[in-house]
Amino acid sequence: MKFFWFLVFFVFGLNIAQAGIVEPVFKQLKDPNLDGADNEPSTVSIAITPDGKKMFLMDHLATGATDGHAVFIYDLTTAFDISTMDVSNRTIVNTTGLGDNLSFGNGNKTIKFNNDGKKLFLFNENGTAQFHNLATPYDVASISASTLIPDDGLNYKSAYNSTAITSIKGVAFNNDGTKMYLNDGHKGSTDVTQIKLSTPFDPSSGTFEYNLNTTSTVGSGTFTMDIYFDDDGTRLYISQGLQNSTGAATHIFVWKLSTPFELSSATYVEKYQIDGNGNNVSAYGWTFGNNGMKAYIATEDANADGDDIIYEYDLTCPYGIVLCETETASVTSAQVEIAKNVIYQNSSNIFKRFEWLRRNEENTNLDSHNIKFNINNPILSSLKNNLENSLKNNMENLLNETKFAKASVKDNKYPNNKRNWSYWSHVDISFGRVGDTSSFKPKDIKTKGIMFGADKLVNDRIFGYAFRYGNDEVDIKSDANNELDSQSVTLNIYGNIPLKNESVLNALIGASFLSMDQLISGATTGERNGKQFFTSISYENENQYTKYDLIPFGKLEMGVTQFSDYTDFGTSSTNSVETHESLTFKTGYVSTGFKFDNILYLDDRTLSRNGFVEYIYDLTPDIDHHYKNHHDNTTIKKTISAHSLHNIKGNIGFEYMKKDGYTVAINYERYQSLDDSAHIDSLLFKLGKKNNKNANLDLIYKPMNNNNTEVSYLKELGNFNLKLKSNYSLFSKIPDYGANFEFSGTF
């Protein structure tokens, strides 16, 4: 066995030692000029919209009709595919007379946008600039003197540093616009200035923060050009221009930042030699596209007579130049979501048990067996795609007595079985999607779980325990095909305490053990274990307010989760090995609301009207996670924040019961995030029959699940149950139906 592990680590170690840098894959090139010659634009800066349908180029030569003053706009028929650039119908926007002059001979210009595309930034290397407000995101064609943003006439070469920038070759912002970066790419003295902006995306509000000297890395006598960060600010990219030699190789240099967007934490990693379809090129301007899975270089082709060319590259992974890192922030965020979901599913099921006990306190048999289905689509705005079924199986009343007893749980008046245990079960299935941010990719989440519990009345108090097994599957929506498969087991102990003035305190404590496999394209690349402890407490006042018996309540839930350290070995294509530190974090929420419950007693039947409204505030703090990539020994910090702080949940239901055993019920529930589009919708229809011959007939219609209809017949034979079940899809063109036979024992 020791030899086996030695062989495993030897193989992995060998792969790491032989691993090279990750290189972009050349796909195609495009000449943005009408005649194919070195004409306008002479490309110097490039940008592309997030949807990949428009591309922007800046012209840097003083010759030609626009004389270096213009922005060239191209439509792409196919998103992110430069072969579909409509060169002949391009739009040319002249900036002359709109503000500071952007042309001064052969000079570098830079085009940038803010995070929502409603601000346009145009810089030239001499320090002048134009800023415009855009009513429509990325509508550069609409700029005019009226859209101009005053900048107090600042020269951005000398506005921040005591030593003026020689030549502004590149500009970048962080995600929220509170920092700006200016690259001084002049030959012989290259560096990047970090500027703090007191007003987001307002360069005139800046103050100097830090200066990153890059001369020793890129080499003296080298021009550097445009700069970019990856989506979470932990990687910095700087391109290189020609060194006055048409045959010289040029590169893109890569740094890693242990603190996002903080240049003081930057550590140089490696460089990539730019290959323009076999030619050396000068990366005057370049950009990422398609969430970091594309790179575009606007350049002069040194070995092709100086023609202006745009090169398109496919990247192996998001921002995969020099190195690939798995969707670290998104993966860690998904692991945190799994931990929170395990706590939520356990506490939610048990508090549903408390609610069921309260509503059935006059029933002598407290056995309950339920199956629940939840569908959740938080980031989708279309109602048609997010309203899915939430259905409860008809097993709830199979073991109930045919007549209601007049005993009360709270009053401890069980005539014969007050010391007996009541058993219950719950199956939950949920489908969800967590929204994306600038740092986190959207995630589809599927959860399945089965829970068994038992409780009894002891001295006017309910005491019980429950065991749950759960399986969570998370699909991170990115081109990296990242997935998580998690197993969990949880033991819960719960109970309630009647208080004075018709109040009750419900509480639970639980402990879970988790095992998570990380997969890329179906292959396991890492394994992580975890454990957690949690508690939840609710207070209810059961005094009768109005005829609907309003019940105010408050709830507090807290949990602590600890993840083990683990290594993500990546794949051969990503060439990435990451070591993740252990992680301990807290989660929780506080909520308040009221329930309403009213039972109308008629001659031989009852009508129950019930529901609740609940406001939920997420107490989970920001979670810092640290890891290292094998390319360097620098620790990187990722921060995971809550997706939604403010949430609200509402429920309304009706249940019609006859003493002869017939039951009809309908219930609707909605969970709504107030910070984004997250929501859950649940709907239940139920029809049942319990007769005096220990037989039960049930019909359940599932209108949101292919109109599936289930008919079942249960016969109680002493301590055994005989069940016949059939289902049918009412309106399906291809009928789906079946039948099964079940024979089982009871507690």
Side-chain angles (χ1 to χ4, degrees):
M1 180 59 69
K2 291 183 179 180
F3 175 78
F4 170 79
W5 288 113
F6 170 80
L7 182 63
V8 170
F9 286 109
F10 174 79
V11 171
F12 277 116
L14 184 64
N15 288 339
I16 294 172
Q18 294 181 341
I21 67 171
V22 177
E23 297 188 354
V25 179
F26 170 79
K27 183 174 184 179
Q28 58 192 345
L29 56 83
K30 183 75 173 183
D31 191 333
N33 293 295
L34 289 172
D35 58 5
D38 186 11
N39 203 344
E40 294 182 302
S42 182
T43 56
V44 69
S45 184
I46 185 172
I48 191 169
T49 55
D51 64 1
K53 301 295 287 190
K54 285 187 181 296
M55 181 169 282
F56 308 90
L57 299 178
M58 297 294 292
D59 180 23
H60 84 290
L61 291 181
T63 59
T66 62
D67 195 25
H69 293 82
V71 181
F72 291 73
I73 307 172
Y74 302 82
D75 292 323
L76 279 67
T77 306
T78 301
F80 303 105
D81 183 355
I82 64 171
S83 70
T84 66
M85 287 177 61
D86 190 355
V87 176
S88 60
N89 292 312
R90 65 190 183 180
T91 300
I92 303 175
V93 180
N94 202 308
T95 63
T96 303
L98 300 184
D100 290 339
N101 194 345
L102 297 177
S103 179
F104 52 93
N106 297 344
N108 194 82
K109 287 91 175 173
T110 303
I111 180 172
K112 298 291 178 179
F113 297 90
N114 72 334
N115 53 4
D116 63 5
K118 289 188 175 183
K119 282 190 176 182
L120 170 68
F121 305 93
L122 303 174
F123 288 85
N124 71 21
E125 69 177 59
N126 219 27
T128 58
Q130 287 184 22
F131 311 141
H132 295 268
N133 284 317
L134 306 178
T136 302
Y138 305 100
D139 185 14
V140 177
S142 68
I143 66 172
S144 66
S146 64
T147 65
L148 193 70
I149 304 173
D151 66 350
D152 299 324
L154 292 177
N155 185 292
Y156 293 93
K157 291 199 309 179
S158 58
Y160 311 110
N161 286 9
S162 57
T163 302
I165 296 172
T166 304
S167 179
I168 299 176
K169 299 292 189 180
V171 181
F173 296 90
N174 68 346
N175 292 332
D176 61 7
T178 57
K179 296 182 186 295
M180 183 175 69
Y181 310 84
L182 301 179
N183 180 41
D184 187 351
H186 190 268
K187 180 174 63 176
S189 59
T190 61
D191 55 40
V192 183
T193 299
Q194 177 177 307
I195 302 153
K196 181 180 180 181
L197 304 181
S198 58
T199 302
F201 294 106
D202 180 5
S204 67
S205 69
T207 55
F208 173 83
E209 276 197 328
Y210 186 80
N211 199 67
L212 175 67
N213 189 295
T214 60
T215 305
S216 60
T217 300
V218 303
S220 180
T222 299
F223 288 105
T224 59
M225 307 302 289
D226 215 347
I227 60 175
Y228 273 92
F229 293 89
D230 66 347
D231 58 350
D232 63 2
T234 58
R235 279 175 280 178
L236 169 68
Y237 306 82
I238 304 178
S239 66
Q240 180 183 11
L242 289 175
Q243 306 176 57
N244 297 327
S245 171
T246 58
T250 57
H251 304 83
I252 292 178
F253 300 87
V254 181
W255 286 257
K256 291 190 67 175
L257 286 71
S258 58
T259 302
F261 296 106
E262 289 293 338
L263 295 184
S264 60
S265 69
T267 302
Y268 175 68
V269 179
E270 189 55 86
K271 62 185 178 182
Y272 156 70
Q273 182 176 334
I274 302 170
D275 179 17
N277 195 28
N279 300 318
N280 293 328
V281 301
S282 181
Y284 280 140
W286 68 284
T287 188
F288 289 108
N290 195 23
N291 295 317
M293 294 303 297
K294 289 280 190 180
Y296 305 90
I297 295 178
T299 182
E300 288 183 346
D301 190 335
N303 294 346
D305 302 323
D307 288 344
D308 297 295
I309 301 292
I310 300 175
Y311 293 92
E312 178 185 330
Y313 300 83
D314 289 325
L315 304 184
T316 306
C317 62
Y319 307 92
I321 299 177
V322 171
L323 61 90
C324 274
E325 296 176 317
T326 58
E327 303 282 353
T328 304
S330 298
V331 170
T332 306
S333 173
Q335 293 171 345
V336 171
E337 287 297 321
I338 288 175
K340 294 173 66 175
N341 192 53
V342 170
I343 296 176
Y344 170 78
Q345 293 292 343
N346 278 276
S347 62
S348 177
N349 290 346
I350 290 177
F351 276 97
K352 285 182 174 62
R353 175 62 176 176
F354 284 134
E355 184 67 14
W356 192 90
L357 289 171
R358 183 183 66 82
R359 291 169 51 184
N360 292 271
E361 61 184 6
E362 296 183 355
N363 197 339
T364 59
N365 192 325
L366 298 178
D367 293 346
S368 177
H369 304 273
N370 309 287
I371 297 179
K372 182 181 180 182
F373 300 85
N374 288 324
I375 305 289
N376 175 26
N377 247 323
I379 69 169
L380 297 181
S381 60
S382 174
L383 295 177
K384 293 182 180 180
N385 295 330
N386 59 51
L387 281 176
E388 297 291 344
N389 66 308
S390 172
L391 299 170
K392 189 176 185 182
N393 200 312
N394 59 313
M395 298 177 64
E396 181 176 302
N397 297 313
L398 294 182
L399 303 177
N400 287 351
E401 299 291 333
T402 58
K403 297 182 179 179
F404 291 115
K406 297 182 179 180
S408 169
V409 174
K410 292 188 297 183
D411 295 336
N412 191 22
K413 295 180 179 179
Y414 285 100
N416 298 315
N417 60 352
K418 68 179 182 179
R419 297 183 180 275
N420 291 348
W421 288 90
S422 297
Y423 302 91
W424 59 277
S425 61
H426 195 112
V427 176
D428 54 85
I429 302 175
S430 65
F431 302 86
R433 187 175 175 96
V434 178
D436 59 332
T437 67
S438 60
S439 300
F440 305 129
K441 303 295 187 297
K443 296 172 283 291
D444 286 340
I445 303 175
K446 301 178 182 178
T447 301
K448 297 171 290 185
I450 183 169
M451 197 169 199
F452 298 97
D455 45 47
K456 66 184 299 184
L457 188 69
V458 180
N459 297 326
D460 296 331
R461 302 173 181 179
I462 291 292
F463 170 82
Y465 62 89
F467 174 87
R468 182 180 184 271
Y469 165 80
N471 173 231
D472 293 82
E473 298 176 358
V474 181
D475 181 12
I476 300 172
K477 296 302 184 181
S478 72
D479 292 278
N481 295 319
N482 269 303
E483 298 175 311
L484 290 176
D485 188 1
S486 173
Q487 317 288 323
S488 65
V489 292
T490 307
L491 176 64
N492 302 272
I493 299 174
Y494 63 92
N496 70 358
I497 303 175
L499 305 176
K500 296 180 179 179
N501 300 321
E502 298 296 322
S503 299
V504 64
L505 191 68
N506 301 315
L508 69 92
I509 57 173
S512 302
F513 298 90
L514 302 89
S515 175
M516 292 177 286
D517 292 338
Q518 182 175 335
L519 303 95
I520 299 179
S521 300
T524 301
T525 62
E527 298 177 354
R528 190 170 211 175
N529 298 319
K531 54 187 178 182
Q532 58 186 184
F533 299 92
F534 58 92
T535 183
S536 185
I537 301 173
S538 74
Y539 171 83
E540 299 178 1
N541 188 329
E542 298 188 4
N543 282 304
Q544 295 183 357
Y545 300 97
T546 79
K547 65 178 182 179
Y548 289 101
D549 298 346
L550 294 181
I551 303 174
F553 70 90
K555 186 185 297 182
L556 174 67
E557 181 176 284
M558 301 295 296
V560 178
T561 302
Q562 184 179 69
F563 287 155
S564 67
D565 57 2
Y566 82 107
T567 299
D568 178 10
F569 290 100
T571 64
S572 58
S573 63
T574 61
N575 185 33
S576 175
V577 177
E578 297 173 355
T579 301
H580 297 256
E581 297 181 3
S582 60
L583 176 62
T584 301
F585 58 93
K586 301 176 182 178
T587 59
Y589 72 85
V590 61
S591 68
T592 186
F594 62 89
K595 304 174 184 178
F596 60 90
D597 191 3
N598 179 263
I599 300 179
L600 183 62
Y601 294 94
L602 305 174
D603 294 336
D604 60 344
R605 57 196 182 277
T606 59
L607 176 63
S608 174
R609 296 162 290 182
N610 54 82
F612 65 82
V613 176
E614 181 179 8
Y615 166 77
I616 303 169
Y617 182 80
D618 195 336
L619 298 173
T620 304
D622 290 347
I623 301 169
D624 293 334
H625 172 238
H626 300 84
Y627 76 99
K628 293 180 181 179
N629 189 280
H630 85 275
H631 283 281
D632 54 63
N633 199 36
T634 302
T635 300
I636 304 298
K637 181 177 72 172
K638 304 284 187 179
T639 300
I640 299 100
S641 302
H643 291 287
S644 178
L645 297 177
H646 306 279
N647 312 272
I648 193 168
K649 183 166 60 174
N651 177 285
I652 187 169
F654 302 90
E655 188 172 17
Y656 179 82
M657 297 166 288
K658 296 186 68 177
K659 290 185 178 181
D660 59 5
Y662 286 102
T663 300
V664 179
I666 183 172
N667 189 277
Y668 173 76
E669 181 174 300
R670 182 177 181 90
Y671 180 99
Q672 178 69 57
S673 167
L674 301 180
D675 294 349
D676 52 39
S677 60
H679 59 272
I680 304 170
D681 293 276
S682 305
L683 187 64
L684 167 70
F685 294 98
K686 182 177 179 180
L687 174 65
K689 174 70 169 68
K690 181 75 181 286
N691 61 34
N692 294 326
K693 297 180 179 180
N694 295 324
N696 197 70
L697 175 67
D698 287 282
L699 170 68
I700 294 186
Y701 172 50
K702 306 174 182 179
M704 305 177 71
N705 187 19
N706 297 320
N707 293 290
N708 183 266
T709 303
E710 179 183 301
V711 180
S712 67
Y713 176 80
L714 178 89
K715 178 70 174 181
E716 299 177 8
L717 304 172
N719 293 327
F720 297 94
N721 293 333
L722 175 65
K723 186 174 183 179
L724 297 173
K725 185 171 68 175
S726 177
N727 62 77
Y728 186 80
S729 186
L730 288 179
F731 303 108
S732 175
K733 294 181 179 180
I734 304 176
D736 178 20
Y737 58 86
N740 61 59
F741 169 86
E742 298 176 8
F743 187 74
S744 61
T746 61
F747 290 104

